[in-house]
Amino acid sequence: MKTTNARLATALVGFALTVSACASTAPIPADENTISFARNSEFSGPNLRVFLELKDGSRASVNTTDDAVGTQPRPTIIPGHQARDWTFIKDVEKGTSVAYALVSWDPADSTDYLMAGWWAQFPGQHLPELDFSDSEQYGIVDGPEIDPANPPELPIEGQATYIGSSGGLYAYIPGTDWGDDEGAHVLEEYEGTITLTADFANGTLSGCIGCVGDLVTRRAHFGIFLGDEVRDVQSVAAGYELHLGETPFEPDGTFTHSDVTVKHPERAITTSEGQWGGAFSSIPDQAGDPRLVAGFNAAEFTESDGSAGVFSGAFIALSEPFRTSGD
């Protein structure tokens, strides 16, 4: 889901999201969004290769042996897993790739892994001069258990709840209500809790990001181009909720829908639109339901004082039995 906002694009970096086995490179407004499904990684712990098809049809890849410039252990919400992240830089004749990848995997079986990350491609640009206003950005979520080539056996009745983490980038231009901050350009990283409900009898999924706890500004994954200092304008991410409308899912466990509504208890939101999508895991939990749901969300909105913003991010949500099955 590429979330370039027409009103913000001249001032702020657009952000493209690729779910993989859910891959997306489409801009909002939501009616222009598409999500394609494809694999984008290979992992044999701790060796990782990330690859994708660029907008010009060519393919690019990075790997931990040749292109990693930084790595460190990371926490993971998946029981029984360990996690590590890598930052990649690859400068070749056709341009430069800058990528980040976080992998959570079972140390006893590295084929059981889930990878999330982002990729910035700079066609024709080389270090140290990289211009993000003339770049392509992608997000990636990938792993064997969300591969549509190996679809889940979905229940035909009952419901399941999923809770997990969502995070990404938000861009915001404050309007007249913000006083001296009016017109400031905010590009920051946000994190929050996602809650989902799957109704297998009706074949639908719905949920919310930010309804449990606040969205918070926290520099976690995008510091390579945002820097280390958080520049939030009075915590503008706090209070926003992204309501993910009731969405039908396919027999192979994939779903996409242009029904995302941005709400705020104190801000007067005049317009909002967006899209979300992803896939159910093919691995069942103890109750026989998919053990997790992973995907992407994107939304743009305007407010009565002229403020405008964009949220674009990824999420992973675990079923209750799976979430409580271990540390």
Side-chain angles (χ1 to χ4, degrees), residues 231-250:
R231 299 179 301 278
D232 197 356
V233 176
Q234 301 179 28
S235 298
V236 295
Y240 287 100
E241 300 173 353
L242 279 61
H243 290 257
L244 312 172
E246 189 172 80
T247 298
F249 51 79
E250 301 297 329

Side-chain angles (χ1 to χ4, degrees), residues 238-264:
Y240 287 100
E241 300 173 353
L242 279 61
H243 290 257
L244 312 172
E246 189 172 80
T247 298
F249 51 79
E250 301 297 329
D252 65 359
T254 62
F255 59 92
T256 63
H257 198 35
S258 55
D259 187 357
V260 179
T261 303
V262 180
K263 297 183 179 182
H264 194 286

Side-chain angles (χ1 to χ4, degrees), residues 4-326:
T4 2
N5 183 325
R7 291 176 291 278
L8 300 178
T10 57
L12 301 174
V13 176
F15 190 60
L17 296 180
T18 301
V19 165
S20 197
C22 319
S24 159
T25 55
I28 55 178
D31 58 4
E32 298 178 8
N33 253 326
T34 61
I35 292 181
S36 60
F37 296 87
R39 292 300 309 273
N40 288 97
S41 69
E42 296 173 348
F43 181 73
S44 178
N47 299 310
L48 172 69
R49 186 172 79 94
V50 185
F51 50 89
L52 77 166
E53 182 175 323
L54 302 175
K55 293 178 181 179
D56 63 4
S58 65
R59 297 187 67 82
S61 69
V62 293
N63 66 78
T64 51
T65 301
D66 301 316
D67 310 308
V69 296
T71 183
Q72 60 184 324
R74 285 289 188 179
T76 174
I77 66 171
I78 300 180
H81 276 206
Q82 64 184 41
R84 177 169 286 274
D85 69 8
W86 289 269
T87 300
F88 304 92
I89 297 178
K90 186 175 185 177
D91 192 342
V92 297
E93 183 177 355
K94 66 179 181 181
T96 302
S97 304
V98 179
Y100 170 89
L102 171 65
V103 180
S104 174
W105 77 94
D106 182 344
D109 178 12
S110 62
T111 63
D112 176 6
Y113 79 89
L114 196 67
M115 171 262 179
W118 57 265
W119 185 299
Q121 187 68 22
F122 300 86
Q125 299 185 48
H126 301 282
L127 296 169
E129 302 296 329
L130 298 179
D131 180 2
F132 272 92
S133 65
D134 190 23
S135 66
E136 305 168 12
Q137 298 88 40
Y138 305 84
I140 302 170
V141 174
D142 189 34
E145 67 183 288
I146 56 170
D147 185 352
N150 181 32
E153 294 186 10
L154 296 173
I156 60 175
E157 59 183 7
Q159 293 186 338
T161 58
Y162 295 84
I163 300 177
S165 298
S166 175
L169 292 177
Y170 74 90
Y172 190 78
I173 296 180
T176 56
D177 288 351
W178 293 90
D180 292 341
D181 287 327
E182 179 183 357
H185 295 160
V186 177
L187 181 62
E188 279 301 339
E189 187 172 358
Y190 75 92
E191 292 183 355
T193 297
I194 182 171
T195 54
L196 299 173
T197 299
D199 187 325
F200 295 111
N202 292 331
T204 59
L205 185 68
S206 59
C208 183
I209 298 170
C211 289
V212 175
D214 271 335
L215 299 183
V216 297
T217 301
R218 181 176 297 132
R219 192 58 49 78
H221 308 305
F222 297 92
I224 192 171
F225 70 86
L226 292 181
D228 295 327
E229 181 184 356
V230 175
R231 299 179 301 278
D232 197 356
V233 176
Q234 301 179 28
S235 298
V236 295
Y240 287 100
E241 300 173 353
L242 279 61
H243 290 257
L244 312 172
E246 189 172 80
T247 298
F249 51 79
E250 301 297 329
D252 65 359
T254 62
F255 59 92
T256 63
H257 198 35
S258 55
D259 187 357
V260 179
T261 303
V262 180
K263 297 183 179 182
H264 194 286
E266 299 174 357
R267 304 290 298 165
I269 296 176
T270 54
T271 66
S272 70
E273 60 183 333
Q275 187 179 29
W276 70 302
F280 283 95
S281 169
S282 60
I283 301 176
D285 63 16
Q286 294 89 326
D289 301 322
R291 70 176 188 174
L292 61 82
V293 186
F296 284 98
N297 52 272
E300 62 176 20
F301 62 96
T302 58
E303 298 171 342
S304 60
D305 71 331
S307 298
V310 172
F311 285 95
S312 59
F315 64 83
I316 175 174
L318 310 184
S319 72
E320 178 68 22
F322 183 45
R323 190 171 67 253
T324 57
S325 65

